[in-house]
Amino acid sequence: MTEEIEFILDSTKESMIGSIEHLEKEFLNIRAGKASPAMLGSVFVDYYGSATPLSQVAKISVPDARTITLQPFERNMLHTIEKAIMIANIGFNPMNNGDIVIISVPPLTEERRRDLAKQAKVEAEDAKIGIRNARKDANTDIKKLEKEGTSEDICKSAEEEVQILTNTYIKKIDEHLAVKEAEIMKV
């Protein structure tokens, strides 16, 4: 195969891997019942006038499966952290005991589990769209090379290779989704 075809295939594979990585990050934000520091990844605190990730103003720990504790690096940040968690609207009701912020993670209801499973399916479908777009871009580039004089056989085999990559990564997304759904639905 030509150097241009190799480049197209490599960049397509990179793009598809990026879609999988993005899906994995999105799945971390979908809570599956047990407490995790990743649940607070979207919380930003007003730290002296600038929006700062919660993890940079407090030590986040998970003492058990239903509790998250936040130990602020500065004691005067307690109320600011509580307020930021409330504003983030992630479904938690923080409390403080004067030293730390305590978040009790409520158990998921059956209805909430179904909603989270639907959310996971939406994220998986978005990742599949990203993979299909990478395939479309690759096939467009291959067609351009064919018009520029690259042999038809080489271009056909390159398109088949792109389709094999697409099928492989779509299957990986389906596997990730199955694992996440099982995790969400497990009581």
Side-chain angles (χ1 to χ4, degrees):
M1 275 199 237
T2 67
E3 208 172 284
E4 294 96 352
I5 299 275
E6 288 294 328
F7 177 76
I8 291 169
L9 291 175
D10 287 345
S11 61
T12 302
K13 187 174 185 178
E14 233 173 76
S15 176
M16 290 180 178
I17 289 171
S19 290
I20 297 282
E21 288 170 352
H22 178 74
L23 176 68
E24 289 169 349
K25 285 179 190 162
E26 291 301 317
F27 276 179
L28 284 177
N29 293 332
I30 299 174
R31 72 182 184 103
K34 57 183 188 265
S36 162
M39 294 174 164
L40 301 173
S42 63
V43 178
F44 285 83
V45 178
D46 180 24
Y47 186 67
Y48 299 109
S50 65
T52 307
L54 183 59
S55 61
Q56 292 182 12
V57 295
K59 178 182 168 231
I60 303 171
S61 55
V62 183
D64 61 54
R66 295 261 177 251
T67 311
I68 300 173
T69 60
L70 302 151
Q71 174 96 44
F73 298 135
E74 296 176 29
R75 191 177 208 152
N76 66 336
M77 294 298 294
L78 267 176
H79 295 293
T80 310
I81 289 171
E82 271 188 295
K83 188 176 166 187
I85 292 168
M86 297 296 277
I87 290 171
N89 197 20
I90 51 178
F92 296 137
N93 197 7
M95 302 169 287
N96 86 56
N97 66 4
D99 291 325
I100 60 173
V101 176
I102 302 165
I103 301 171
S104 292
V105 179
L108 295 173
T109 63
E110 186 65 30
E111 181 181 343
R112 183 72 181 135
R113 287 179 195 280
R114 282 197 209 101
D115 288 346
L116 291 174
K118 283 181 191 170
Q119 187 181 344
K121 283 181 184 167
V122 167
E123 294 298 341
E125 192 53 45
D126 287 348
K128 286 180 183 181
I129 289 168
I131 287 183
R132 290 187 200 113
N133 285 339
R135 174 185 62 191
K136 186 182 86 169
D137 294 344
N139 286 339
T140 302
D141 292 344
I142 291 168
K143 292 265 190 263
K144 278 184 197 168
L145 287 178
E146 192 174 349
K147 285 180 183 170
E148 292 171 5
T150 305
S151 91
E152 194 177 321
D153 290 343
I154 290 174
C155 290
K156 281 289 178 221
S157 71
E159 285 176 358
E160 288 169 8
E161 189 67 33
V162 168
Q163 187 58 47
I164 289 169
L165 281 173
T166 303
N167 294 343
T168 303
Y169 286 100
I170 294 278
K171 185 178 178 200
K172 284 183 182 182
I173 288 173
D174 289 335
E175 290 166 1
H176 278 64
L177 178 61
V179 167
K180 188 63 177 179
E181 281 182 327
E183 185 182 313
I184 290 169
M185 299 311 281
K186 190 172 88 178
V187 177

